[in-house]
């Protein structure tokens, strides 16, 4: 008697898809930035626990050196566009982003940043504007977008506007948001209504560097998945940005850079804890580009690094991708930055009708 292999039985092996996706972006976080944080920390970093690692090519539509607007548009929409473009294609027409697609399918959505919420990286995930500096136009897009959770700076672009008299905080309230800001208290201090959308403004303009007292990113990274999980039964897409890693790179400030990276890694730890308990969450960590052309010079010792920068700008090197959870294996290998979008869609089964 021969054993027949039943092809059907292979097809029936259940593939585990994630219910939730958390995309964490360290703006300007190249491989050397990650290495510098690993070698500066007494304990292993949370990021070291990610089982799948890949690299993506960061270049934009017409420039080997991308900026954060084109970089985030590649992640959000799957298209390479010109530097400065917020959620629009090279022909300046808007591209549909992953948050809009997630909302259509009933998923909850969230954006957390340590910059203003209208800054290029978070903006490209929901707004559609020709240029990244159109902050008040971007704020208007955000106020109308019905993202379930928003945490970041930039309150003044919502309620003290120059281009019009709109009060977008009033609008958010009218749309059913629970809106709070740093003026009332810390993020930890509010009684949360999980049935309502939630917005918390962490600063009028840009939030402080972590070295000057900003402390909300790790807590926000614990709170946001918990909130979205309670808020919706259909899963969620959440983007969390460590925005100021990039700024430390531009400023060529090594100590500042390490402090922002360690803060970002603390946020990674919070997200990983949620994902471990939940079991249905895919976590992806990457950068839009490297900033500063960082090197760890010979002569460096553990926790005594001789850091050097070759640029005050973004460089063109590939950047790492780390993944954990169901379908994380999609993220190994070397691919274009736009593939982050396509892989997220595949993991969420958006590519199958
Ligand atoms: Mg950014
Ligand atoms: Zn930058």
């Amino acid at each position: 008697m021969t054993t027949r292999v039943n092809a059907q039985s292979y097809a029936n092996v259940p593939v585990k898809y994630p219910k939730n996706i958390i995309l964490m972006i360290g703006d300007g976080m190249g491989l050397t930035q990650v290495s510098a944080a690993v070698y500066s920390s007494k304990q292993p970093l949370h990021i070291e626990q990610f089982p799948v690692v890949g690299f993506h090519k960061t270049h934009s539509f017409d420039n080997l050196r991308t900026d954060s607007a084109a970089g985030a548009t590649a992640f959000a929409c799957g298209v390479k566009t010109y530097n400065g473009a917020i959620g629009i294609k090279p022909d300046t027409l808007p591209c549909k982003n992953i948050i809009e697609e997630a909302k259509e399918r009933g998923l909850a959505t969230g954006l957390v940043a340590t910059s203003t919420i209208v800054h290029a990286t978070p903006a490209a995930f929901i707004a559609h504007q020709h240029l990244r500096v159109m902050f008040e136009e971007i704020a208007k897009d955000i106020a109308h977008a019905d993202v379930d959770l928003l945490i970041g700076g930039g309150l003044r672009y919502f309620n003290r506007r120059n281009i019009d008299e709109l009060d977008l905080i009033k609008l958010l309230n009218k749309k059913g948001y629970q809106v709070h800001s740093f003026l009332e208290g810390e993020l930890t201090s509010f009684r949360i209504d999980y049935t309502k959308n939630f917005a918390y403004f962490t600063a009028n303009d840009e939030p402080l560097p972590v070295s000057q007292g900003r402390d909300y990113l790790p807590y926000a990274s614990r709170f946001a998945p918990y909130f979205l999980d309670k808020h919706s039964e259909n899963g969620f897409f959440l983007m969390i940005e460590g925005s100021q890693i990039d700024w430390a790179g531009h400023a060529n400030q090594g100590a500042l850079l390490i402090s922002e990276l360690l803060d970002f890694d603390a946020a990674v730890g919070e997200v990983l804890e949620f994902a471990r308990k939940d079991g249905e969450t895919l976590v992806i960590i990457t950068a839009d580009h490297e900033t500063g052309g960082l090197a760890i010079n010979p002569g460096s010792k553990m926790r005594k690094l001789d850091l050097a920068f070759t640029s005050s700008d973004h460089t063109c090197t590939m950047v790492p991708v780390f993944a954990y959870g169901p379908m994380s294996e999609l993220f190994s290998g070397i691919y274009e930055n736009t593939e982050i979008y396509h892989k997220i869609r595949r993991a969420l089964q958006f590519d199958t009708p």
Side-chain angles (χ1 to χ4, degrees), residues 9-28:
S9 68
Y10 288 107
N12 286 344
V13 173
V15 180
K16 201 170 173 215
Y17 290 97
K19 184 179 174 193
N20 313 311
I21 292 205
I22 304 175
L23 173 62
M24 301 187 73
I25 301 175
D27 196 317

Side-chain angles (χ1 to χ4, degrees), residues 246 250 289 291 314:
D246 175 64
H250 283 292
H289 53 72
T291 306
H314 307 163

Side-chain angles (χ1 to χ4, degrees), residues 111-155:
L111 293 172
V112 175
T114 52
S115 61
T116 67
I117 201 71
V118 297
H119 211 269
T121 311
F125 277 85
I126 197 59
H128 304 280
Q129 295 294 339
H130 291 186
L131 284 173
R132 56 184 290 169
V133 291
M134 298 166 73
F135 296 125
E136 294 189 6
E137 289 85 349
I138 290 167
K140 200 170 160 190
D141 282 356
I142 292 173
H144 281 99
D146 293 315
V147 177
D148 299 75
L149 174 130
L150 297 164
I151 299 173
L155 177 62

